């Protein structure tokens, strides 16, 4: 039976360390969270982020804009936040309404306040292996692996998903730690064949139950990034947890795995932003 990697308790420990560091160094750290429209899931994520800020002793500033806001007004707000000394990090909750170009929004955030590492140059720096802000989800996964003393050096790591915020930076971060990395995606011809080679398998496709036991090598480490809703509306991952835990050596649950770690890494990046701006 696989060991369950408890992302929730590790995240709680990391947030306590961040709080202690902020108190010790008497820092005022401020994080701005901008939300556009009334997407229910986004509202829940923003509430979680506010709670995380409170837990870490970080001041959170929330800006809720209506669904119909125009791009110019949103960019104007971001420019104001870029210039505001009380704000160290800026996060614009995604997805954004269709009429708002997310790339333009991300590129408007100051490189010193890009705590989500969504800017093109932030991703470029990650590719070079020399960066300040780690992309939160892959960084959280690396922390979980380190905490379990799982080395990826020389191992076969397979990442399912090639998005700019999860799959690609995940693959790069594994590569920086000397893994042999394969990236799979929706056009991959034989996903099962690639996945079965993995010593470490990261599923980030957003497809409920995509990864079954038949796609997992005996003893593999399985990280489930997926956050989906099943037919009954219950949160579920990309991995069939019950059957895969019988074959894997380690597995992350959904909820309580990658999600809380992603949020803890955001807090870490907010503190990093403060230090960069001192
Ligand atoms: P995305 O839609 O941008 O990318 C999904 C990727 O998966 C694409 O590259 C696509 O090619 C690939 N894919 C889709 N279906 C596939 C299939 N059947 N076989 C192989 N590859 C397939 O999504 P994203 O933003 O990268 O997020 C992926 C999932 O992770 C979503 O469920 C999202 O909600 C979740 N997520 C979770 C966290 C967290 O903190 N836990 C953070 C970010 C994203």
């Amino acid at each position: 039976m696989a060991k369950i990697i408890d992302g929730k308790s590790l995240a709680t420990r990391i947030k306590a360390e961040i709080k202690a560091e902020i108190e010790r160094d008497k820092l005022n750290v401020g994080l701005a969270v901008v939300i556009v429209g009334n997407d229910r899931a986004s509202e829940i994520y923003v509430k979680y982020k506010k709670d995380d800020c409170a837990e870490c002793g970080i001041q959170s500033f929330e800006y809720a804009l209506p669904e119909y806001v125009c791009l110019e007004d949103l960019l104007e707000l971001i420019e104001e936040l870029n210039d505001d000394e009380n704000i160290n990090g800026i996060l614009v909750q995604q997805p954004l309404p269709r009429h708002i170009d997310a790339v333009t929004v991300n590129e408007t955030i100051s490189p010193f306040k890009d705590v989500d590492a969504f800017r093109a140059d932030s991703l470029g720096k990650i590719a070079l292996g020399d960066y300040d802000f780690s992309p939160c989800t892959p960084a959280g996964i690396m922390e979980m692996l380190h905490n379990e003393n799982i080395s990826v050096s020389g191992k076969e790591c397979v990442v399912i998903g090639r998005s700019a915020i999860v799959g690609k930076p995940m693959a790069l971060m594994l590569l920086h730690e000397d893994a042999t990395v394969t990236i799979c995606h929706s056009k991959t011809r034989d996903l099962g064949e690639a996945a079965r080679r993995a010593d470490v398998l990261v599923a980030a496709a957003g497809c409920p139950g995509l990864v079954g036991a038949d796609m997992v090598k005996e003893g593999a480490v399985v990280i489930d990034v997926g956050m989906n809703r099943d037919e009954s509306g219950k949160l579920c991952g990309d991995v069939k947890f019950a059957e895969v835990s019988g074959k894997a050596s380690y597995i992350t649950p959904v909820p309580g795995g990658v999600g809380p770690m992603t949020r803890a890494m955001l807090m870490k990046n907010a503190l990093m932003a403060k230090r960069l701006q001192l």
Side-chain angles (χ1 to χ4, degrees):
M1 210 48 194
K3 178 177 179 198
I4 296 172
I5 303 179
D6 183 350
K8 198 171 172 205
S9 64
L10 180 56
T12 301
R13 201 170 84 206
I14 291 169
K15 285 185 280 185
E17 286 165 9
I18 293 170
K19 184 175 200 275
E21 193 177 327
I22 287 174
E23 283 174 1
R24 184 197 64 206
D25 295 348
K26 299 187 174 53
L27 299 171
N28 287 317
V29 184
L31 177 68
V33 180
V34 181
I35 180 167
V36 181
N38 305 306
D39 180 74
R40 185 76 193 109
S42 293
E43 284 172 354
I44 294 169
Y45 295 144
V46 167
K47 187 200 167 294
Y48 284 157
K49 285 165 190 170
K50 271 170 77 176
D51 294 348
D52 291 331
C53 282
E55 224 177 307
C56 293
I58 292 174
Q59 214 183 335
S60 70
F61 300 86
E62 192 187 324
Y63 299 85
L65 301 178
E67 177 87 22
Y68 55 80
V69 72
C70 65
L71 178 65
E72 292 68 28
D73 288 354
L74 175 55
L75 298 185
E76 198 180 310
L77 170 64
I78 294 171
E79 294 290 8
E80 279 170 25
L81 299 173
N82 283 341
D83 293 338
D84 188 336
E85 284 185 2
N86 295 313
I87 304 285
N88 304 109
I90 303 168
L91 177 154
V92 180
Q93 186 64 42
Q94 312 225 357
L96 288 161
R98 275 170 185 274
H99 67 281
I100 302 280
D101 177 35
V103 173
T104 307
V105 169
N106 293 337
E107 293 303 314
T108 304
I109 296 171
S110 157
F112 300 103
K113 299 190 177 185
D114 183 26
V115 284
D116 257 338
F118 281 180
R119 286 174 53 98
D121 54 1
S122 296
L123 186 57
K125 285 179 169 184
I126 293 154
L128 294 173
D130 180 15
Y131 48 89
D132 299 312
F133 299 121
S134 308
C136 299
T137 301
I141 292 169
M142 296 312 291
E143 287 266 358
M144 288 197 280
L145 295 175
H146 295 158
N147 187 58
E148 298 292 341
N149 290 317
I150 298 167
S151 164
V152 298
S153 178
K155 303 244 178 88
E156 293 282 343
C157 294
V158 175
V159 179
I160 308 177
R162 58 175 163 183
S163 72
I165 62 165
V166 185
K168 280 182 196 149
M170 181 76 255
L172 290 166
M173 290 175 87
L174 290 165
L175 193 60
H176 294 321
E177 297 204 6
D178 301 325
T180 301
V181 185
T182 303
I183 304 179
C184 299
H185 47 79
S186 52
K187 298 285 190 290
T188 297
R189 216 178 302 147
D190 191 342
L191 184 63
E193 183 272 327
R196 276 188 295 277
R197 273 190 278 124
D199 299 307
V200 178
L201 180 63
V202 180
C207 294
L210 177 68
V211 177
D214 58 331
M215 285 171 64
V216 174
K217 183 164 86 174
E218 194 74 46
V221 174
V222 179
I223 307 290
D224 192 354
V225 183
M227 281 216 282
N228 317 297
R229 297 274 164 194
D230 66 14
E231 313 83 55
S232 55
K234 212 172 133 231
L235 194 63
C236 68
D238 287 356
V239 176
K240 289 179 180 154
F241 184 84
E243 59 178 69
V244 172
S245 18
K247 213 165 174 192
S249 56
Y250 291 86
I251 191 165
T252 62
V254 177
V258 176
M261 286 301 293
T262 298
R263 286 163 31 210
M265 293 302 104
L266 177 68
M267 299 298 113
K268 214 170 171 178
N269 280 348
L271 176 54
M272 160 79 76
K274 176 72 189 185
R275 294 216 179 275
L276 289 174
Q277 291 157 40
L278 281 175

